[in-house]
């Protein structure tokens, strides 16, 4: 308990959105850090724990080692998340309230007389504020409504263009019919004029022959 309180006293505050560090702890020790977070903020952490091996005289990845992660709100004491994972893993949580959050890490070794030493790497990434789903839905609905209006206007324009094409086709047919009738009327006038002139010439010729 004293080690936990001492560890909590030396927590670091949120300065950037990404924190990377490594530290050492004993098998039965808990190490805590403080993150000051806005409300509804996603946080992702990646850790890697190496156990000291006397035979190899180095820190190695031990599959039997487990890491326990606990996240609590400092002001209310509410537990936000508690997970137990492999020596190399991730954890995620979303803050419900703004303020300091305690992120504590410990091992699954519970023997008090254990002398195992752990070297633990930790990266903490503070993400963006969780999106407002309702606002996004309303925005999408508004965009969908605008798209429907645009589609309706495009449909109206298409119908107007189709109507204009039909009118143009009708006007073209009417013009061709009128032009055809005008041609036939002109031909009939020419035929009447030719027949009238022929008749008049014959009549005049007969008239002069009778005079002589």
């Amino acid at each position: 308990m004293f080690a936990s309180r001492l560890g909590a006293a030396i927590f670091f505050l949120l300065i950037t959105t990404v924190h990377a560090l490594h530290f050492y702890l004993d098998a039965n020790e808990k190490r805590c850090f403080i993150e000051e977070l806005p409300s509804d903020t996603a946080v992702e952490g990646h850790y890697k724990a190496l156990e000291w091996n006397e035979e190899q005289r180095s820190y190695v990845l031990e599959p039997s080692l487990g890491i326990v992660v606990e996240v609590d709100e400092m002001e209310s004491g509410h537990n936000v998340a508690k997970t137990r994972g492999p020596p190399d893993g991730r954890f995620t949580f979303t803050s419900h309230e703004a303020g300091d959050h305690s992120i504590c890490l410990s091992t699954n070794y519970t023997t008090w007389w254990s002398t195992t030493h752990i070297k633990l790497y930790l990266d903490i990434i503070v993400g963006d504020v969780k999106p407002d789903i309702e606002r996004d839905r309303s925005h999408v609905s508004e965009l969908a409504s605008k798209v429907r209006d645009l589609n309706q206007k495009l449909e109206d324009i298409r119908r107007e263009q189709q109507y204009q094409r039909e009118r143009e086709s009708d006007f073209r047919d009417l013009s061709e019919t009128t032009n055809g009738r005008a041609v036939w009327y002109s031909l009939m006038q020419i035929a009447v004029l030719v027949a009238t002139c022929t008749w008049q010439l014959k009549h005049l010729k007969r008239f002069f022959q009778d005079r002589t």
Side-chain angles (χ1 to χ4, degrees):
M1 180 64 69
F2 176 75
S4 175
R5 291 181 179 178
L6 181 60
I10 58 173
F11 297 156
F12 64 96
L13 297 176
L14 178 65
I15 298 177
T16 61
T17 57
V18 180
H19 304 281
L21 70 158
H22 75 273
F23 52 89
Y24 300 89
L25 73 160
D26 294 331
N28 55 3
E29 183 182 0
K30 179 185 289 188
R31 184 65 62 88
C32 299
F33 300 91
I34 287 180
E35 282 286 348
E36 183 180 359
L37 301 172
S39 61
D40 294 329
T41 301
V43 178
E44 179 181 351
H46 175 226
Y47 61 84
K48 183 177 182 180
L50 303 177
E51 185 176 345
W52 177 256
N53 187 290
E54 287 291 344
E55 296 180 357
Q56 301 183 22
R57 303 298 298 174
S58 64
Y59 288 95
V60 297
L61 193 66
E62 178 59 49
S64 62
L65 176 63
I67 299 298
V68 179
V69 181
E70 296 181 70
V71 181
D72 297 309
E73 294 177 350
M74 296 290 292
E75 184 174 353
S76 63
H78 174 70
N79 181 259
V80 179
K82 184 175 181 179
T83 62
R84 176 178 174 177
D88 188 357
R90 296 177 181 271
F91 62 91
T92 59
F93 67 91
T94 301
S95 61
H96 301 293
E97 298 179 2
D100 292 337
H101 287 66
S102 171
I103 303 175
C104 298
L105 296 96
S106 59
T107 69
N108 60 339
Y109 297 154
T110 56
T111 306
W112 287 99
W113 56 83
S114 175
T115 58
T116 302
H117 299 287
I118 307 297
K119 183 177 183 180
L120 201 150
Y121 296 88
L122 177 64
D123 293 334
I124 297 178
I125 302 174
V126 180
D128 297 331
V129 176
K130 187 171 64 175
D132 189 342
I133 297 177
E134 293 300 327
R135 183 173 179 273
D136 291 342
R137 286 178 179 172
S138 63
H139 184 61
V140 170
S141 299
E142 183 180 353
L143 289 177
S145 177
K146 290 182 178 179
V147 169
R148 284 195 298 269
D149 292 341
L150 288 175
N151 287 334
Q152 184 63 38
K153 291 180 180 179
L154 288 174
E155 185 65 21
D156 293 340
I157 293 173
R158 189 189 67 81
R159 285 197 298 268
E160 181 66 22
Q161 289 178 341
Q162 182 66 26
Y163 175 69
Q164 293 296 335
R165 283 196 293 268
E166 292 175 357
R167 288 192 60 187
E168 181 183 359
S169 177
D170 294 339
F171 182 74
R172 183 175 61 252
D173 294 339
L174 179 61
S175 297
E176 291 177 354
T177 302
T178 303
N179 291 334
R181 290 177 179 176
V183 170
W184 281 109
Y185 180 73
S186 299
L187 292 175
M188 289 177 63
Q189 283 185 327
I190 293 173
V192 171
L193 289 174
V194 169
T196 302
C197 290
T198 302
W199 180 79
Q200 286 181 348
L201 288 174
K202 287 182 178 181
H203 178 72
L204 291 173
K205 182 179 180 181
R206 223 183 266 117
F207 175 76
F208 286 116
Q209 286 178 353
D210 294 339
R211 285 285 186 176
T212 59

